[in-house]
């Protein structure tokens, strides 16, 4: 599998008064479809998966034709070789965890199989619950099983329909790590549907934004920063960090970009942890504070800023991006601009661990 | 003893005919448009609403030696189909069909479309999805439908007497035997058979209800 894929989609699909009129051509490995409820993102995903037939147009993925109305091509779902992960997992209730994972594997031609169900069970840390009935699983476990089940078919493309939506906020870390791993290490391209800017930025390298069935933005996920505040939740930085050291006081030092961040005790994981830092919890200072209770003070450079109604989202570069959100008044008071050096201040208690 | 064996044989064959047809037709219904489905559902339910005697009379015409089917049967087997246990089984099958198919239709309708889509996306075409997902998820409902139909077939009277008569040792089932005994004034004999019927009915309905409850639990 290669790392560069082409998503070439131009379709129209009407459903009552609603019309999905979607046209884009994107090269990448990880595409997000972003929009709020009713924008048409799930309809688009259903058309790509073959669950819904568009009225006209085409759906090409790299060198595969899934749908082409002019040539009367409409591959059925089972021939598209896509992994589909529904927001509520949609596991088969009559099968155990392992039987769910083996379901699609058994229909995959031997020559196309790249992973065994047991390898995937191990990768997603599901071995201990292999024989469990799926009614006894947590939300996170269900999604891991759904992902393992989809990957077991060695799909050409993974479709994820808001897979984190039914999972407790603080338990999303493991899944985010696994999805990134599947995308970048197993080289399985994906389309990730979400209404969370934070997730889109954390997980994809290209975004298509839909509004009322039409593409209104297309490009790097950071362009979502320009959106009006009302369209999305408070932004959180979802970042993968590397554990460097744990001290006796119960604090842990992790590395992200060029900086080392002090966080609370980490009693799990194997070298990396996913953190969530709300942009509004990051303080910006022009001077380096000398005596301050916050454990994390880093030098950063302002890479970009986005003015909204009453706040400014400041994209800071610390070797990797980190977004801080301050009021327009505070931003004007600091009188900073693109390229300026600033200090970012974050309390350890403002950093949440997204557990596995 | 003959009565019980004949009754069980006729009801079992009726249900063996019914269940596969009910599964196929119930699946077909999930694929049909609302209007066509509405019409077919009326036709399916007709034997439930019609007096069984009417169903029996219609069957008598269809199976009579002068009809195409009756003639074909005669050529193949060398005897008429009417007034045989085969005719009794067919009559029981038709009358019990609405009860057999109903739980299966409900079960197929209740299977979440998302599960079917997931199965398709995992490489299972419509046939494999039917065998590996729809049938296992509806297993209890199919059993329940079969059992309800079987119970109805055990008690079938009107259509059976029209098309198969009441021939002891050949087509005389439990209800026909009760009818005969009451006609002859043998109340004691009739009472024993009534008690047996009651026992079979209670057991069957109890089992049916248990299976339906299990089916609801499995599908949630």
């Amino acid at each position: 599998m290669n790392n560069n894929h082409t998503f070439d989609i131009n379709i129209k699909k009407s459903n009552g008064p609603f019309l999905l009129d979607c046209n884009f051509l994107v090269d990448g490995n990880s595409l997000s479809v972003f929009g709020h409820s009713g924008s048409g993102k799930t309809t688009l995903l259903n058309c790509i998966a073959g669950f819904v037939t568009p009225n006209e147009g085409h759906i090409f993925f790299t060198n595969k034709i899934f749908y082409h109305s002019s040539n009367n091509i409409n591959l059925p779902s089972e021939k598209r070789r896509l992994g589909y992960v529904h927001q509520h997992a949609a596991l088969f209730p009559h099968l155990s965890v392992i039987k769910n994972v083996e379901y699609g594997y058994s229909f995959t031609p031997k020559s196309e199989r790249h992973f065994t169900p047991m390898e995937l069970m191990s990768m997603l840390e599901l071995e201990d619950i292999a024989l469990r009935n799926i009614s006894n699983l947590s939300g996170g476990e269900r999604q891991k099983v759904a992902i393992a089940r989809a990957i077991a078919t060695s799909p050409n493309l993974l479709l994820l329909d808001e897979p984190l939506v039914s999972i407790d906020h603080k338990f999303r870390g493991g899944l985010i790590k696994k999805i990134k791993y599947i995308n970048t290490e197993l080289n399985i391209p994906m389309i990730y549907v979400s209404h969370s800017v934070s997730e889109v930025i954390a997980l994809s390298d290209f975004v298509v934004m839909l509004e009322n069935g039409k593409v209104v933005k297309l490009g790097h996920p950071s362009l979502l920063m320009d959106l009006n505040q009302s369209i999305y939740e408070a932004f959180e930085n979802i970042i993968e960090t590397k554990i460097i050291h744990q001290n006796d006081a119960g604090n842990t030092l992790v590395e992200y970009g060029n900086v080392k961040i002090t966080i609370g005790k980490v009693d799990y994981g194997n070298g990396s942890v996913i953190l969530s830092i709300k942009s509004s919890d990051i303080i910006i200072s022009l001077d380096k504070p000398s005596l301050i209770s916050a454990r994390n003070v880093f030098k950063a450079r302002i890479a970009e800023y986005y003015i909204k109604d009453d706040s400014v989202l400041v994209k800071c570069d610390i070797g990797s991006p980190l977004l801080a959100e301050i009021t327009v008044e505070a931003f004007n008071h600091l009188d900073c601009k693109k390229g300026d050096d600033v200090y970012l201040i974050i309390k350890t208690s403002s950093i949440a661990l997204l557990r596995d | 003893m003959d009565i019980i064996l004949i009754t069980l044989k006729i009801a079992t064959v009726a249900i063996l005919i019914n269940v596969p047809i009910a599964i196929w037709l119930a699946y077909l219904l999930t694929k049909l448009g609302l209007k066509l489905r509405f019409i077919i559902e009326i036709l399916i339910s007709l034997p439930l609403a019609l007096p069984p005697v009417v169903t029996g009379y219609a069957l008598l015409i269809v199976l009579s030696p002068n009809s195409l089917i009756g003639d074909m049967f005669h050529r193949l087997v060398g005897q008429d189909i009417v007034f045989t246990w085969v005719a009794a089984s067919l009559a029981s099958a038709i009358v019990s069909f609405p009860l057999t198919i109903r739980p299966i239709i409900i079960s197929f309708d209740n299977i979440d479309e998302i599960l079917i889509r997931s199965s398709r996306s995992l490489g299972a075409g419509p046939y494999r999805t039917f065998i590996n997902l729809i049938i296992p998820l509806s297993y209890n409902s199919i059993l329940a439908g079969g059992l309800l139909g079987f119970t109805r077939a055990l008690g079938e009277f009107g259509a059976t007497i029209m098309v198969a008569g009441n021939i002891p040792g050949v087509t005389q089932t439990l209800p026909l035997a009760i009818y005969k005994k009451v006609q002859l004034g043998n109340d004691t004999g009739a009472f024993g058979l009534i008690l047996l019927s009651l026992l079979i009915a209670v057991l069957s309905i109890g089992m049916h209800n248990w299976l339906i409850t299990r089916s609801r639990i499995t599908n949630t």
Side-chain angles (χ1 to χ4, degrees):
Chain A
M1 284 183 243
N2 68 56
N3 274 341
N4 210 15
H5 298 274
T6 306
F7 303 86
D8 181 0
I9 294 172
N10 182 359
I11 50 167
K12 283 192 173 70
K13 173 67 188 170
S14 59
N15 185 10
F18 178 80
L19 175 69
L20 176 74
D21 185 356
C22 209
N23 181 6
F24 60 86
L25 174 64
V26 169
D27 283 327
N29 196 38
S30 164
L31 169 72
S32 275
V33 178
F34 173 82
H36 43 174
S37 293
S39 60
K41 50 190 195 305
T42 297
T43 306
L44 172 62
L45 202 67
N46 285 340
C47 288
I48 296 169
F51 302 151
V52 169
T53 305
N55 302 115
E56 59 176 88
H58 66 252
I59 302 170
F60 302 154
F61 172 66
T62 308
N63 53 0
K64 293 178 178 63
I65 303 172
F66 291 161
Y67 172 77
H68 197 182
S69 58
S70 325
N71 292 343
N72 282 325
I73 296 173
N74 185 19
L75 277 190
S77 261
E78 62 272 19
K79 303 268 186 213
R80 296 192 185 196
R81 299 193 32 74
L82 303 171
Y84 179 83
V85 179
H86 187 259
Q87 57 180 292
H88 299 301
L91 300 178
F92 302 133
H94 62 300
L95 299 177
S96 64
V97 168
I98 183 70
K99 292 285 177 198
N100 262 279
V101 176
E102 286 171 346
Y103 188 91
Y105 181 78
S106 61
F107 304 130
T108 307
K110 282 192 177 132
S111 59
E112 303 277 351
R113 293 174 181 171
H114 301 307
F115 325 101
T116 66
M118 283 322 290
E119 280 169 356
L120 295 168
M121 295 284 286
S122 161
M123 187 193 94
L124 287 152
E125 292 145 22
L126 295 168
E127 303 111 308
D128 293 345
I129 58 166
L131 300 176
R132 212 187 276 177
N133 189 301
I134 62 111
S135 58
N136 300 324
L137 303 181
S138 69
E141 287 169 336
R142 293 173 76 87
Q143 284 300 12
K144 279 187 186 179
V145 176
I147 290 171
R149 184 178 68 174
I151 302 298
T153 64
S154 304
N156 295 316
L157 173 65
L158 185 61
L159 305 176
L160 299 151
D161 187 6
E162 309 212 36
L164 304 180
V165 83
S166 55
I167 296 173
D168 193 325
H169 184 272
K170 49 182 195 291
F171 289 105
R172 292 174 302 161
L175 263 184
I176 290 171
K177 257 201 281 189
K178 300 301 180 197
I179 291 170
K180 282 179 93 156
Y181 179 83
I182 288 162
N183 184 228
T184 56
E185 303 300 318
L186 303 186
N187 271 332
I188 298 177
M190 69 175 189
I191 297 181
Y192 187 89
V193 166
S194 180
H195 63 262
S196 159
V197 176
S198 318
E199 286 174 22
V200 168
I201 288 178
L203 285 166
S204 56
D205 47 36
F206 215 94
V207 67
V208 173
M209 183 180 165
L210 294 180
E211 217 171 83
N212 296 322
K214 293 196 170 45
V215 177
V216 290
K217 280 181 188 288
L218 183 70
H220 190 269
S222 64
L223 62 79
L224 296 181
M225 296 294 127
D226 257 341
L227 299 175
N228 187 297
Q229 180 79 30
S230 61
I231 200 165
Y232 61 87
E233 80 285 21
F235 185 81
E236 63 174 312
N237 295 279
I238 300 172
I239 55 175
E240 185 167 7
T241 63
K242 204 168 92 185
I243 297 174
I244 300 172
H245 175 68
Q246 298 213 47
N247 68 19
D248 295 339
N251 285 333
T252 307
L253 204 59
V254 297
E255 190 174 36
Y256 175 68
N258 302 327
V259 301
K260 293 176 178 56
I261 306 174
T262 302
I263 61 172
K265 192 177 178 187
V266 178
D267 53 5
Y268 69 95
N270 49 1
S272 74
V273 280
I274 302 268
L275 305 181
S276 159
I277 308 169
K278 282 191 185 142
S279 53
S280 53
D281 283 344
I282 301 175
I283 295 167
I284 299 178
S285 167
L286 292 182
D287 303 316
K288 183 174 186 179
S290 52
L291 287 169
I292 189 164
S293 63
R295 305 307 303 145
N296 298 297
V297 178
F298 326 116
K299 193 171 183 183
R301 179 158 293 169
I302 295 178
E304 197 65 74
Y305 60 87
Y306 312 93
I307 300 171
K308 304 180 184 310
D309 291 345
D310 53 359
S311 66
V312 181
L313 206 54
V314 185
K315 186 177 179 184
C316 302
D317 182 7
I318 51 170
S320 290
L322 203 63
L323 284 134
E325 189 172 1
I326 57 176
T327 61
V328 171
E329 192 188 350
F331 187 74
N332 290 337
H333 176 69
L334 291 175
D335 192 24
C336 46
K337 54 191 181 301
K338 201 169 156 180
D340 282 359
D341 285 339
V342 291
Y343 288 89
L344 303 181
I345 302 160
I346 312 168
K347 288 171 72 174
T348 298
S349 59
S350 299
I351 302 172
L353 257 81
L354 299 183
R355 297 185 64 94
D356 283 8
Chain B
M1 197 62 192
D2 258 7
I3 296 168
I4 296 171
L5 286 178
I6 289 168
T7 308
L8 288 175
K9 179 172 77 175
I10 288 172
T12 305
V13 171
I15 236 54
L16 289 177
I17 296 168
N18 268 356
V19 169
I21 298 173
I23 291 171
W24 171 76
L25 197 55
Y27 182 63
L28 193 69
L29 284 178
T30 63
K31 305 283 166 205
L32 294 179
L34 282 179
K35 279 182 190 165
L36 194 55
R37 180 175 168 146
F38 181 75
I39 293 165
I40 293 180
E41 287 216 46
I42 288 176
L43 293 176
I44 287 171
S45 301
L46 262 188
L48 202 64
L50 277 173
V53 173
V54 175
T55 308
Y57 182 65
L59 203 57
L60 190 63
I61 294 169
V62 171
L63 300 180
S64 75
N66 302 328
S67 72
L68 185 69
I69 296 172
D71 186 46
M72 272 172 60
F73 189 88
H74 192 93
R75 282 165 198 260
L76 281 171
V77 183
Q79 69 170 95
D80 290 343
I81 190 170
V82 287
F83 301 109
T84 64
W85 70 268
V86 179
S89 277
L90 284 175
S92 294
I94 290 171
V95 173
S96 63
F97 189 72
L99 293 173
T100 307
I101 198 172
R102 186 56 50 195
I104 303 174
I105 291 176
I106 293 169
S107 176
F108 285 4
D109 282 344
N110 283 341
I111 293 175
D112 193 342
E113 181 64 25
I114 299 291
L115 294 181
I116 292 169
R117 287 177 171 184
S118 294
S119 170
R120 298 287 301 273
S121 74
L122 291 166
Y127 174 72
R128 282 172 162 171
T129 297
F130 182 68
I131 297 295
N132 293 290
L133 182 73
I134 296 173
I135 292 289
L137 283 181
S138 306
Y139 187 66
N140 287 329
S141 295
I142 292 168
L143 273 182
L147 200 61
L148 205 60
F150 181 73
T151 312
R152 176 65 187 86
L154 287 177
E156 169 39 34
F157 179 87
T160 309
I161 203 163
M162 285 295 284
V163 82
N166 190 356
I167 310 165
V170 182
T171 61
Q172 191 175 65
T173 59
L174 204 54
L176 293 173
I178 293 170
Y179 174 72
K180 189 80 181 175
K181 286 193 191 306
V182 172
Q183 264 196 333
L184 297 175
N186 181 1
D187 285 354
T188 320
F191 189 69
L193 294 178
I194 287 167
L195 275 184
L196 189 63
S197 297
L198 190 68
L199 182 70
I200 293 171
V202 169
L203 283 176
S204 301
I205 292 170
M207 180 78 91
H208 164 268
N209 291 353
W210 180 72
L211 285 168
I212 288 291
T213 311
R214 263 180 50 131
S215 172
R216 283 196 198 112
I217 294 166
T218 309
N219 290 340
T220 49

